[in-house]
Amino acid sequence: MTSPDYDHFCRLIRQKSGLVLTPEKAYLVSSRLAPLARAEGLGTVENLLALLRAGASDALVQQAVDVMATHESYFFRDTAPFEQLANAVLPPLIAARQTQRSLRIWCAACSSGQEPYSVAMILKEMGPKLAGWKLDILATDMSEPILRKASTGLYNDFEVNRGLSPERQTRWFKRETDGWRVSPALQQMVRFRPHNLLQGSAGLGVFDVVFCRNVLIYFDIETKRQILDHVRRAMAPDGSLLLGSAETVLGVSSAVEPVPGLRGLYRPTDGAASRSA
Ligand SMILES: C[S@@+](CC[C@H](N)C(=O)[O-])C[C@H]1O[C@@H](n2cnc3c(N)ncnc32)[C@H](O)[C@@H]1O
């Protein structure tokens, strides 16, 4: 599918979300837009693309952006980042924050919530080391429908069987008629809020740890660089950034640098942790 309407749609999606669509993605675009075209009574994807080019409502544009985003996520995705959080990131932070006794963690592009709830489980499982601390997990995504799902804390059998050990499922979830509900103890640690990574990080505050995983892969290099700069500005000097296993800053940004031996873990290039390393 190549047409002025398709080219306009690619520009629109890039402008709204950063997501890069190329002519080779036409099949993906078509399969994801078809249900929306039917739901809107437009019949075909071509009609939907034409309407989006002619001038559609903000709500329809937002729906089209949402369906083009990949929301795949699961608990303790890739395992290693969560082990690094527990074993390499939190111990020095706990030592450094003994006076404030507070930690802030940002899950940027959190999708349906499995990532921030996994982080909450790790924090809870630190036991007495974090007892009485103020723990704030901010979980953001550009998609409001996926945030609504995340904030219910309700997952089906398939979702709880992806990445969760039976022990964690028993400890942190309760069976309900519609699925498995995250315990209130974890839910109250996580705040969900809409946020588009293209809009920078002003107003979000400063974070000790940032998870920005499996989202940079969808952007072009300049967008990745801008987002990494924004993320760096939102990090404490001794903070940590965790990226996805297919993501790297090499050749993209010098705002953060890899922590040797810990794949996917980054520290601010000019940060306190880097200076003392
Ligand atoms: C594949 S999911 C990653 C979820 C989670 N971080 C993980 O690793 O499992 C990508 C998420 O990025 C979100 N996203 C895409 N572009 C975004 C943007 N410009 N700003 C904020 N979120 C965005 C999508 O809505 C989607 O929920």
Side-chain angles (χ1 to χ4, degrees):
M1 187 192 343
T2 49
S3 70
D5 291 343
Y6 181 76
D7 293 344
H8 169 270
F9 182 68
C10 295
R11 286 195 299 277
L12 181 70
I13 293 296
R14 195 170 185 143
Q15 180 207 338
K16 298 281 180 192
S17 69
L19 181 68
V20 178
L21 297 174
T22 50
E24 306 82 70
K25 299 259 172 78
Y27 173 77
L28 179 82
V29 171
S30 195
S31 63
R32 289 198 178 174
L33 287 184
L36 180 59
R38 282 195 297 273
E40 290 296 309
L42 294 163
T44 65
V45 169
E46 285 70 23
N47 289 343
L48 174 56
L49 291 177
L51 177 60
L52 287 166
R53 184 167 169 224
S57 67
D58 289 348
L60 184 58
V61 170
Q62 197 49 52
Q63 279 180 279
V65 173
D66 278 352
V67 298
M68 289 317 305
T70 299
H71 296 297
E72 157 110 351
S73 189
Y74 47 95
F75 292 102
F76 296 94
R77 186 172 189 169
D78 301 333
T79 312
F82 299 92
E83 290 177 354
Q84 289 170 1
L85 177 68
N87 302 323
V89 173
L90 288 175
L93 278 175
I94 292 172
R97 303 284 189 275
Q98 282 298 317
T99 312
Q100 306 93 307
R101 291 170 73 77
S102 72
L103 285 176
R104 295 196 74 220
I105 299 180
W106 177 21
C107 290
C110 66
S111 189
S112 36
Q114 288 93 331
E115 182 179 89
Y117 290 131
S118 300
V119 170
M121 284 180 240
I122 294 284
L123 294 183
K124 279 285 185 196
E125 289 166 9
M126 298 299 284
K129 291 181 193 150
L130 286 173
W133 284 50
K134 190 169 177 296
L135 303 171
D136 180 30
I137 303 169
L138 178 68
T140 63
D141 201 283
M142 69 169 180
S143 165
E144 298 203 23
I146 206 72
L147 286 174
R148 278 196 290 279
K149 169 177 168 51
S151 58
T152 65
L154 191 64
Y155 296 94
N156 63 28
D157 287 336
F158 176 70
E159 290 166 325
V160 285
N161 283 319
R162 282 187 91 192
L164 268 186
S165 65
E167 294 75 27
R168 281 186 169 135
Q169 186 177 341
T170 307
R171 182 169 178 193
W172 297 117
F173 290 78
K174 196 168 156 231
R175 188 85 175 110
E176 293 187 1
T177 328
D178 297 342
W180 296 84
R181 179 94 59 185
V182 177
S183 78
L186 297 187
Q187 276 198 292
Q188 68 194 27
M189 293 170 70
V190 184
R191 287 183 298 131
F192 290 99
R193 175 176 158 180
H195 175 261
N196 190 324
L197 284 166
L198 299 185
Q199 286 158 7
S201 56
L204 299 180
V206 175
F207 298 91
D208 303 298
V209 185
V210 180
F211 278 71
C212 185
R213 307 195 65 242
N214 303 304
V215 64
L216 292 179
I217 35 169
Y218 299 108
F219 303 145
D220 64 25
I221 191 162
E222 188 49 38
T223 308
K224 289 180 197 183
R225 181 177 300 128
Q226 283 169 13
I227 290 173
L228 285 166
D229 283 350
H230 292 314
V231 166
R232 164 64 189 93
R233 272 181 234 129
M235 288 171 71
D238 59 349
S240 293
L241 167 66
L242 292 113
L243 298 182
S245 55
E247 292 160 336
T248 178
V249 304
L250 296 176
V252 179
S253 167
S254 54
V256 291
E257 60 189 9
V259 177
L262 292 172
R263 201 178 146 79
L265 181 63
Y266 297 82
R267 297 254 158 82
T269 300
D270 54 356
S274 305
R275 279 200 300 276
S276 64

